[in-house]
Amino acid sequence: MISAWACYRAALRNYASRAFIIGNPNVYSALAFLVLTPGWIERVAPGLGHGTTDALDHAEFNPLFMAALMGMASIGTYYWRQVGDAIAVTIPGFLAAELHAGLSVVGLLFVLLTIPLLWCGLPAAGSAAFVAASFTFGAGIRPVRGQKPWEKSLRVLLVAGGLLLIFMPRWQVWLLFLPWPLAGGVVALSGALVVLSMTHHVGRTQAEHERAESLADARPIATARPGRARAMFRRLLLWQPARLRQAPLPPTLSRPIGPLGILLSALVSVAVMLILSAVMAAVLSMVNGEAFDRLFLHAARTNLLTLPSLALMGLNNWLMNRKDWPFFFMAGRYGGRLAFARAMFGAYLVNAILTGVGIVAPVMLFEVLLGSVPAAAGGWLGLLLVLMFVGACHGSSVPLLWREQGGKGVTVMAGIAAYMTMALANPVALYRDDHAGAAIVTALSIFVAGLAVSRLAPRQLARMDWPFDGE
Amino acid sequence: MTHAAPHATERSVVDITDLVKIFGTRRALDGMSVSIAPGEIVALLGPNGAGKSTLIGCLLGFLLPNSGSARIFGYEAGELPPEARARMGYVPQAMNAFPSFRVGQLIDYLGTFYAVPPPPPDPALLAWANLDMAARVKSLSGGQKQRLSIVLAFRHQPDFLVLDEPVASLDPQARRDFMALLADYCAGSQRSVLISSHILSDLEKVATRALFVARGRVVHDTPMARFRESIRWIVPTAGASALPADLLDGRLPLKPLGTDTATGAILVDGWCDAMRGHLADRADIRTPDLEAAFLEITR
């Protein structure tokens, strides 16, 4: 009989092996952010030494927070891959060993990531709360199977609360300088969420799966049609010019919404950002006594500019999700591999342009209305933002240019680099900081580079193996 | 775009020559050669890891061989012109694509990607699939998704079908009906099928040829008619300690395919009833089913 200790050690050892890394792109993301952390420390530490926290302002990108988030997400991905398989239940001691090993690694990561913050001279309690809060997201972003309803609700609640927090102005300062009783509360809550995110009830998971299968099998053949208004709205949402209807859909868009659908979803995102900014401003206004309108304007101008970057993050995954490709390829219209690869890149480019225009148009409209940029500059800044977006959308394709085999890790890293470029060199933000020249040069360079990748990558893609069976 | 003239005539739908595919240090295909003629239903048989899916990947043009060639309708598999690709159909092991689409919407949507606009799916096929056209793909069960991918593969009435474990997730009734559907689809036509499945009893009913693969190579290739006629177990009778030595000394045109060490029986190809005289009372002849032959040949 193998002892529980031996099982635990075996489970723990896997975290230091290839088993943990393979098929777990979040590991690469965490490492990429970790590499950027010393630069962040260099910027933040001197200010803290002189008693100023300006560098921690919410507009400052914090790679340590992202490293912790992605680190936790990678542990979750690996853990659920281990325990989610049906065979896991049948191995005595396996589930407990994996749980204990997973929690141990989380604990170790927690300590390791708190150290850089302490090194900067930040308070211990706040630093712990900061890392713990990032774990909340890392643990929460992954759907978990086989949980009780209250467990699911609590996870959603905690993640939503955390999401609200990170859109608050100066949230990093607030979190890092929390009084220790409050910081302790954050750590305890986050810890509970992490444990919750690794809790599953084996019988419940199985029952959920069986119920879903039998429900699907037993479902009667439905002939119900949506109401007239709903059908019209749906038609409007899905309307596409003929050329688009005949272009393969990048799976990251997941459904064939047309230009109007993209615009509508962008408007919804803008509305959500504005509401979020208003909530933040109201809370801060009550807490600090500052004027609501000033706080709202500041938050809204900044938050709206994150929308193109967020949209980019979704689009840039397209090369890692190729489940649809066999169906497009085998249907026959494209014939050979090169023609198909070109068609996929062409369709992706068109979708990137549509998404860019769809998201940038309302963002720039509100940036002008909120007085972030003058109306005269709104047009050309918007155009620059679209061009930069389209160029950056090809970031994840860059590794195809020199890698014979496309790897998930390097693709994720390239996607993150594109996201960071978009976030840090946003032409609107550069223009506001009196760097109009830099805004033009950066945006145009990225656009040209993106077009070059779009032109060169299909040939490389055609020289690689493609997944074809349910990957 | 112009396409090079076909290398071979259409006397063979598929021509695979010395195909090698290496993943890292593993040779998934190790010099495989095979051809498929019009009208053949070829059962691709082999244990897990034998190279069946890799072969299918190369044939469809998703995987690039390290050496050798895989030609379909005379063209390199990866470089088929649209009109040739349009003559193929493929059913994958599992259908995990297009989760947000509704079934009917997906059938219509994919219709625009065929080289020639396909007709609406055959009503008999749709009746067999029994799918709710308004259901979202992600809400379908595994078996329903598989039926959907079968509808998609058959709708344009391809001349060459590649089926990779098409019935693994179907219930026995749907499985049996699908096999009947496949047999009807090919009956009296020149349509060819390459079908990989571990449910050998199903294949036995529809296949016209069995291709046994192991370790990336074809280890035995036989028409099913020949399989039924000339593959036999030669089993020593109760009194005999071993098989007659003269059976396999080369004078009889028998090819040994495997040996059952427990009984001393040998599986041979090339048997005909005229050879019975050589056995006298020393051995019995038994007819193997495809599963028994599979176990011996791919051992």
Side-chain angles (χ1 to χ4, degrees):
Chain A
M1 182 86 179
I2 302 168
S3 71
W5 173 244
C7 289
Y8 167 74
R9 279 191 310 169
L12 203 55
R13 264 199 303 274
N14 281 339
Y15 282 89
S17 72
R18 279 173 61 80
F20 176 59
I21 297 166
I22 290 170
N24 194 353
N26 291 330
V27 177
Y28 298 98
S29 309
L31 289 174
F33 285 118
L34 214 53
V35 166
L36 297 172
T37 299
W40 177 82
I41 292 174
E42 212 168 285
R43 282 204 316 277
V44 170
L48 289 171
H50 295 101
T52 166
T53 57
D54 286 352
L56 288 170
D57 188 85
H58 79 291
E60 286 285 326
F61 171 75
N62 188 332
L64 188 76
F65 186 84
M66 293 305 293
L69 189 156
M70 289 298 175
M72 181 65 226
S74 67
I75 294 169
T77 300
Y78 171 75
Y79 171 79
W80 279 99
R81 199 167 58 195
Q82 292 291 93
V83 303
D85 200 277
I87 200 171
V89 190
T90 63
I91 306 169
F94 183 84
L95 293 177
E98 285 295 336
L99 178 64
H100 296 146
L103 290 175
S104 302
V105 176
V106 171
L108 182 68
L109 191 67
F110 175 75
V111 172
L112 288 177
L113 293 177
T114 309
I115 291 171
L117 297 171
L118 299 177
W119 177 266
C120 291
L122 288 160
S127 300
F130 188 82
V131 175
S134 68
F135 279 8
T136 306
F137 286 105
I141 54 175
R142 194 192 181 289
V144 172
R145 286 175 297 167
Q147 290 205 317
K148 293 175 182 169
W150 72 266
E151 290 171 332
K152 283 182 186 166
S153 308
L154 188 59
R155 275 183 60 243
V156 171
L157 207 66
L158 285 173
V159 172
L163 197 64
L164 200 64
L165 169 77
I166 63 162
F167 277 101
M168 292 284 202
R170 298 179 67 76
W171 64 274
Q172 296 188 50
V173 179
W174 181 81
L175 199 54
L176 286 164
F177 289 92
L178 269 182
W180 73 263
L182 279 179
V186 171
V187 172
L189 264 180
S190 299
L193 183 76
V194 167
V195 174
L196 205 58
S197 74
M198 291 182 154
T199 305
H200 76 307
H201 308 279
V202 176
R204 184 176 280 271
T205 311
Q206 186 64 20
E208 267 180 14
H209 179 70
E210 280 170 8
R211 195 164 52 242
E213 283 283 302
S214 57
L215 271 177
D217 278 331
R219 188 176 291 124
I221 303 300
T223 50
R225 294 185 175 279
R228 204 171 152 190
R230 207 174 144 200
M232 267 184 63
F233 177 71
R234 214 171 140 242
R235 267 206 298 277
L236 197 68
L237 201 70
L238 301 181
W239 174 83
Q240 290 178 312
R243 191 176 178 279
L244 279 185
R245 278 200 297 273
Q246 292 176 359
L249 179 78
T252 40
L253 295 179
S254 80
R255 63 192 68 204
I257 56 170
L260 293 174
I262 291 173
L263 189 63
L264 194 69
S265 69
L267 283 170
V268 170
S269 307
V270 166
V272 168
M273 263 323 170
L274 291 175
I275 292 167
L276 206 60
S277 303
V279 172
M280 289 176 209
V283 172
L284 278 184
S285 176
M286 278 191 287
V287 174
N288 298 342
E290 292 180 60
F292 170 83
D293 54 347
R294 199 186 67 78
L295 287 169
F296 171 71
L297 281 178
H298 179 72
R301 287 168 178 172
T302 312
N303 290 341
L304 283 178
L305 282 188
T306 62
L307 284 177
S309 311
L310 291 174
L312 176 82
M313 207 147 69
L315 280 182
N316 249 330
N317 288 329
W318 79 292
L319 275 173
M320 292 194 300
N321 185 359
R322 294 188 249 176
K323 288 174 189 163
D324 304 350
W325 285 27
F327 293 90
F328 289 132
F329 185 53
M330 291 308 298
R333 172 141 55 95
Y334 306 103
R337 294 166 56 89
L338 181 58
F340 180 74
R342 282 187 176 141
M344 290 309 289
F345 267 91
Y348 180 64
L349 178 65
V350 171
N351 274 290
I353 293 169
L354 278 178
T355 308
V357 172
I359 199 97
V360 167
V363 164
M364 285 313 295
L365 177 70
F366 278 91
E367 288 287 340
V368 170
L369 289 176
L370 294 170
S372 175
V373 290
W380 65 267
L381 278 174
L383 180 64
L384 281 184
L385 196 51
V386 171
L387 293 179
M388 187 173 185
F389 180 87
V390 171
C393 273
H394 291 84
S396 59
S397 314
V398 172
L400 289 178
L401 299 181
W402 72 86
R403 279 180 71 88
E404 194 186 336
Q405 303 288 323
K408 276 190 176 174
V410 75
T411 305
V412 168
M413 298 252 260
I416 290 172
Y419 166 78
M420 304 254 305
T421 309
M422 190 80 195
L424 297 175
N426 189 304
V428 178
L430 287 175
Y431 173 83
R432 282 199 309 230
D433 293 341
D434 293 328
H435 299 304
I440 295 169
V441 171
T442 313
L444 290 181
S445 307
I446 291 171
F447 175 65
V448 171
L451 280 191
V453 171
S454 176
R455 184 94 186 137
L456 297 172
R459 191 167 288 278
Q460 293 297 106
L461 186 61
R463 292 178 185 150
M464 297 169 187
D465 288 340
W466 298 343
F468 68 100
D469 214 354
E471 184 193 317
Chain B
M1 190 170 178
T2 57
H3 296 280
H7 174 75
T9 66
E10 283 205 12
R11 272 181 302 187
S12 53
V13 174
V14 173
D15 264 310
I16 295 169
T17 313
D18 292 328
L19 201 63
V20 174
K21 179 65 188 172
I22 301 169
F23 295 111
T25 55
R26 193 172 69 86
R27 289 174 85 85
L29 297 179
D30 190 12
M32 195 176 274
S33 295
V34 68
S35 61
I36 297 175
E40 280 192 308
I41 302 179
V42 179
L44 182 61
L45 309 171
N48 296 329
K52 303 188 297 293
S53 289
T54 306
L55 175 66
I56 287 174
C58 289
L59 266 182
L60 298 175
F62 291 105
L63 301 180
L64 296 170
N66 293 82
S67 64
S69 78
R71 289 181 171 268
I72 298 173
F73 302 126
Y75 298 94
E76 270 305 323
E79 305 308 326
L80 255 61
E83 59 275 16
R85 175 96 46 210
R87 293 173 62 194
M88 289 181 74
Y90 167 55
V91 177
Q93 280 185 26
M95 155 106 184
N96 295 318
F98 305 103
S100 302
F101 277 74
R102 294 182 190 280
V103 172
Q105 183 191 14
L106 179 61
I107 291 173
D108 292 343
Y109 175 63
L110 285 178
T112 62
F113 292 92
Y114 289 83
V116 178
D122 180 358
L125 186 64
L126 285 179
W128 164 79
N130 192 28
L131 293 167
D132 176 0
M133 291 293 143
R136 289 221 186 266
V137 173
K138 66 181 167 196
S139 72
L140 301 180
S141 69
Q144 288 171 328
K145 283 181 187 165
Q146 194 64 356
R147 279 182 263 160
L148 174 59
S149 69
I150 288 169
V151 169
L152 291 170
F154 277 72
R155 72 173 295 189
H156 57 302
Q157 303 181 336
D159 293 327
F160 177 44
L161 270 165
V162 180
L163 313 174
D164 192 2
E165 298 282 356
V167 293
S169 55
L170 300 185
D171 62 61
Q173 180 69 48
R175 215 176 73 212
R176 200 182 64 179
D177 292 348
F178 171 70
M179 285 299 171
L181 201 80
L182 183 65
D184 284 350
Y185 182 75
C186 299
S189 74
Q190 288 296 292
R191 289 164 177 158
S192 308
V193 178
L194 179 68
I195 177 169
S196 155
S197 174
H198 289 297
I199 305 172
L200 305 187
S201 53
D202 285 343
L203 294 180
E204 204 156 12
K205 290 170 201 153
V206 297
T208 59
R209 185 174 151 201
L211 194 66
F212 295 86
V213 295
R215 299 169 292 282
R217 287 180 160 274
V218 174
V219 290
H220 194 62
D221 181 358
T222 178
M224 283 304 290
R226 180 182 168 90
F227 176 87
R228 290 184 197 103
E229 279 169 17
S230 65
I231 292 195
R232 294 290 184 272
W233 280 115
I234 303 179
V235 189
T237 48
S241 57
L243 286 173
D246 58 335
L247 270 180
L248 296 173
D249 63 1
R251 276 179 291 174
L252 294 177
L254 289 177
K255 180 185 172 193
L257 298 174
T259 307
D260 182 348
T261 47
T263 61
I266 55 170
L267 186 71
V268 295
D269 187 10
W271 175 261
C272 66
D273 280 343
M275 296 173 185
R276 274 192 187 277
H278 291 269
L279 298 180
D281 295 331
R282 298 172 297 174
D284 288 333
I285 294 299
R286 289 186 197 151
T287 305
D289 58 15
L290 202 52
E291 187 160 316
F294 167 84
L295 290 172
E296 275 312 314
I297 294 170
T298 61
R299 195 191 290 272

